[in-house]
Amino acid sequence: MGLLSNSAAVIIGAMIIAPLMLPIRGLAFGALQADITLFRKGIIAVAVGTGLAVAIAFTLGLLVGLPSYGSEVLARSRPTLLDLGIAVAAGGISGYAKIETKISGSLAGTAIAVALMPPICVIGLGLAQGNWSLSFGATLLYLTNLLGIALSCMVTFLVAGYTSMARARQPLIWTMALTAILLIPLGVSFARLVRQAQLESSLRRALLNRTVTFGRLQLLNIGLIFDF
């Protein structure tokens, strides 16, 4: 509902509730310990939670029937390498906060930093509109956050001594390989982001310094739309 109303305050408040964070940490720990039962429970919890969230968002999207979505929805459909970096950092803090009770208060902050529910909901909203590009971008962001959190939690648990390197090697390699696949689309998106920033900067300088029209005016904002 926060995404539909384009309310950043509601979305940020809802991010504190992170129902998928614990299952992801569970499957990461289960993979490291070769605990099939824990790993299976984590996978099932993540899959069921994801499916429910997509279904609810899809239903709400159909019921509300907005012709177009706001900036908060669109922002979840353009992941870059920066989002992967955020997921890895926040996931590592989340994993450490779980095993170190003294900093458990940071869990809410990491849940907000690398929220999983908004991109999942955007997947459903995109499907409700038949907007496959929107759903694909949100799916890419969701997988980026999921794999980033899982990978950094594994490394954190390994460094903390909860498992041996010999046991952790194979699950780490698999997780790193899956994460590496995402580097291609995320790298392309990051290159577009850098290009857009460079074009905006050049355009701003040209308008302010080389034109009579903007010579005595203040330029407040520039928006560029790319069609790839």
Side-chain angles (χ1 to χ4, degrees), residues 122-202:
V122 172
I123 295 173
L125 294 177
L127 293 176
Q129 273 194 346
N131 190 335
W132 306 111
S133 177
L134 181 65
S135 294
F136 175 78
T139 301
L140 182 59
L141 177 58
Y142 170 58
L143 293 177
T144 298
N145 289 344
L146 190 153
L147 290 173
I149 293 171
L151 178 60
S152 56
C153 281
M154 287 181 178
V155 174
T156 300
F157 294 148
L158 176 62
V159 173
Y162 281 82
T163 187
S164 63
M165 186 61 196
R167 177 178 290 180
R169 183 178 292 108
Q170 186 172 0
L172 274 175
I173 290 175
W174 275 104
T175 307
M176 292 176 65
L178 292 174
T179 305
I181 296 175
L182 298 178
L183 293 179
I184 299 175
L186 293 177
V188 172
S189 297
F190 182 72
R192 293 177 182 173
L193 179 65
V194 172
R195 182 186 174 193
Q196 179 177 344
Q198 292 173 343
L199 287 176
E200 287 183 359
S201 178
S202 300

Side-chain angles (χ1 to χ4, degrees), residues 27-103:
L27 67 88
F29 191 76
L32 287 180
Q33 291 286 345
D35 188 333
I36 303 301
T37 301
L38 179 58
F39 181 78
R40 183 172 62 248
K41 286 183 177 180
I43 289 289
I44 293 174
V46 171
V48 172
T50 301
L52 285 174
V54 171
I56 293 172
F58 176 77
T59 303
L60 287 175
L62 289 179
L63 291 175
V64 176
L66 290 179
S68 61
Y69 297 129
S71 58
E72 292 296 333
V73 172
L74 298 178
R76 270 80 188 181
S77 64
R78 300 163 184 167
T80 67
L81 289 174
L82 297 176
D83 294 290
L84 179 59
I86 294 171
V88 170
I93 296 172
S94 174
Y96 185 68
K98 188 63 179 178
I99 61 179
E100 181 54 67
T101 57
K102 293 181 180 178
I103 63 168

Side-chain angles (χ1 to χ4, degrees), residues 208-219:
L208 292 177
N209 301 329
R210 301 180 184 178
T211 63
V212 177
T213 304
F214 288 89
R216 297 181 181 179
L217 298 179
Q218 181 182 3
L219 185 60

